[in-house]
Structure formats: C-alpha cells, structure tokens
Amino acid sequence: MTPLEDRAHAIRAQGNLPRHVAVIMDGNGRWAERRGQPRIFGHRAGMKSVRAVIEAAGDLGIEALTLYAFSKENWRRPAPEVQALMGLLRRYMKSEREELVQRGARVEAIGDLDQLEPSAREELDRLIEATSGCERLRVTLALSYGGRAEIVAAARRIARAAVAGELDPDALDEAGFARFLYSPHLPDPDLLVRTSGEMRISNFLLWQIAYAELYVTETLWPDFDRAAFFEAIEDYQSRERRFGKVMA
Ligand code: IPE
Ligand code: IPE
Ligand code: MG
C-alpha cells in the first residue's frame, strides 16, 4: 500500500467519520496571482482539487459532500471572470460526467439555479440526471448560492403553506422549518472546511452549520489535494463535539 492508502485505511479504521463535509473552495485568485497569471488560471487549476476531494471522500466512505462553487455575491465580480467561471463550470460538468457516474457520485445542486446561463443550466441538469441512480456519495454543488437567500426562500414557502391552511404556525419547530430548505434530505454538515485562511463563512449554509466543526487551512484551493483532505478529516476525528452538553 502507498502511504496515502495507508492513511485512508487508518482514517476508516478509526471510525468517527463526518457524515457530511461542506467545503468553501477559496483562494484560486491568489494562487494565480502568486504565479503572475490571470485569476481564471487559478479557477482552472482548482478543478483538479474538486476531483481529488470527490475521490477522497468517496474512498473514505463519507456520505455527503457539499461544495461552494459560486456564491450569489460572486455575480458582482467583473463580467469576464464570471463568464470564464461559468464556462469552466459547464466544461467541468460535461467532461466529468462519466467519471462521476463511475465513482457512484450522485450530483445535486442548491442555490438560485435560474440565474445560471442556460447552457450551464442544461449541463447541470444533464449531470444531475446522469448521476441520479448513484448511491456511493452525494455531491451537492452550491451554485449562485446564498445562505440568507435560502432561509428567506424557506420562509416564503412556509408563509404560503400557512396562508393556504396547510401548516399551523404554532406547530412549526426547527425540524419543520428545515424541511423547507434546499436539501432537506441531507444531514447537517459535521465539518466545514475553508481553504486559503479566511476566517469567515461568506453566507454559506448559515442554518445548517449551527454545530459544524470548523477547519480553516492556509492552503489555497488549487493546492488542496487528497492528503490535505485527509488532514482535515484527521483533525475532525480528534475533536470533541459537545453540542452544548457536558461530557461525562
Ligand atoms: C474561490 O477562489 C473561487 C470562487 C469564489 C468562485 P477566489 O476566486 O475567491 O480566490 P481568491 O479568494 O480571490 O484568492
Ligand atoms: C466564498 O468565497 C464563495 C466561494 C468559495 C464560492 P469568496 O472569495 O467569494 O468569499 P469572500 O468574498 O472572501 O468572503
Ligand atoms: Mg475568495
């Protein structure tokens, strides 16, 4: 076995794996700038990290991976960067489709998907459809995603249900609210990873990360590989999660 296979084996043997890992894939621009290259060069390089993390999560037997690929706020970047990102996304979804099916990765998406360019949206729908029977790993792409927008969208649907007499406001509890969010079938993330050192959430999964363990690494996203993912998981395995209680 290679050292990395050994490491994967040890992680699996220890158990106590996160069921759901969410990742803020940050630092592509800085990675490119450090090489005197345009930012899009970094976005392109980041694609191989996406592949590495999906492979590593699948190999460890993690159930769900949610990847923050494009935020609602990212639409405010210069148009050429937004266009280039949409182009990359479209190409990624097409070129990785077969590989994702082979790996048993079921792809879904959350966010304001109607904002995507029609050609990107079509490729996304094709990818979702092609992987819909896969059961090994659930990969959720957060695209044109904003945590507050998700909560407002849920509140709007709840209000409509209440007005229609289908929901009793006094009976609404946290679990009932969560059923109106984008991905009600996923467990909350146990671990939230952010690359490139920024100590902020940037409007990602605000509701769902209430008790997630946070892991921030200085590594820039294009340098985040299988070993870096393993390191995040090992760190998680050493944590004591208390959920507000006192441990015996
Ligand atoms: C993350 O890298 C990718 C997206 C937000 C789409 P950035 O583009 O934010 O890179 P930095 O943070 O400027 O280095
Ligand atoms: C968060 O990164 C969004 C994604 C990784 C898709 P940003 O680079 O957009 O976040 P800020 O602007 O540093 O908070
Ligand atoms: Mg950034």
Side-chain angles (χ1 to χ4, degrees):
M1 278 200 284
T2 67
L4 270 178
E5 279 170 317
D6 269 346
R7 205 163 157 192
H9 188 75
I11 291 171
R12 279 196 306 267
Q14 205 211 300
N16 183 30
L17 278 169
R19 290 181 65 193
H20 182 180
V21 179
V23 186
I24 302 177
M25 310 186 288
D26 196 18
N28 293 346
R30 276 163 282 177
W31 188 90
E33 278 155 22
R34 282 178 200 172
R35 286 162 177 75
Q37 298 284 343
R39 295 175 54 83
I40 187 65
F41 185 76
H43 296 314
R44 208 176 297 131
M47 293 298 169
K48 73 171 185 333
S49 302
V50 175
R51 196 176 306 132
V53 164
I54 290 175
E55 285 179 14
D59 291 349
L60 291 181
I62 287 169
E63 285 171 48
L65 189 64
T66 296
L67 303 172
Y68 203 6
F70 194 84
S71 74
K72 253 181 112 74
E73 289 74 26
N74 288 151
W75 290 113
R76 288 190 225 131
R77 291 188 179 195
E81 181 173 347
V82 170
Q83 264 170 17
L85 269 167
M86 286 297 134
L88 264 182
L89 186 70
R90 198 179 56 236
R91 285 199 295 283
Y92 169 85
M93 293 190 295
K94 188 171 180 171
S95 65
E96 296 291 301
R97 195 165 62 220
E98 265 320 299
E99 174 75 20
L100 288 162
V101 172
Q102 294 301 322
R103 295 216 138 253
R106 175 171 188 174
V107 180
E108 291 165 311
I110 53 172
D112 190 357
L113 305 178
D114 293 338
Q115 295 294 311
L116 298 178
E117 279 175 15
S119 58
R121 179 63 196 264
E122 275 165 32
E123 235 19 279
L124 174 65
D125 289 340
R126 225 168 268 149
L127 179 60
I128 291 172
E129 167 65 25
T131 60
S132 62
C134 297
E135 288 182 345
R136 188 148 176 246
L137 170 70
R138 289 190 99 117
V139 177
T140 304
L141 302 175
L143 296 168
S144 190
Y145 176 86
R148 286 187 170 182
E150 177 177 20
I151 293 170
V152 170
R156 203 178 290 127
R157 290 176 54 210
I158 288 167
R160 276 204 207 102
V163 168
E166 295 157 4
L167 182 146
D168 171 8
D170 292 318
L172 186 68
D173 57 10
E174 290 181 13
F177 189 96
R179 275 198 283 278
F180 287 86
L181 294 169
Y182 291 144
S183 300
H185 52 282
L186 290 180
D188 286 342
D190 302 293
L191 173 64
L192 173 66
V193 174
R194 182 165 190 151
T195 58
S196 90
E198 238 63 77
M199 295 288 184
R200 54 177 173 259
I201 300 299
S202 301
N203 202 15
F204 192 38
L205 301 178
L206 296 179
W207 171 283
Q208 296 88 336
I209 59 166
Y211 258 107
E213 293 294 324
L214 309 182
Y215 177 87
V216 177
T217 170
E218 289 295 327
T219 303
L220 303 175
W221 180 250
D223 293 325
F224 195 84
D225 56 9
R226 175 180 271 263
F229 185 76
F230 285 175
E231 201 165 314
I233 302 300
E234 287 159 350
D235 194 279
Y236 171 87
Q237 288 178 313
S238 73
R239 308 272 181 104
E240 182 187 75
R241 302 184 77 188
R242 285 195 285 266
F243 300 99
K245 294 177 279 195
V246 175
M247 296 326 258

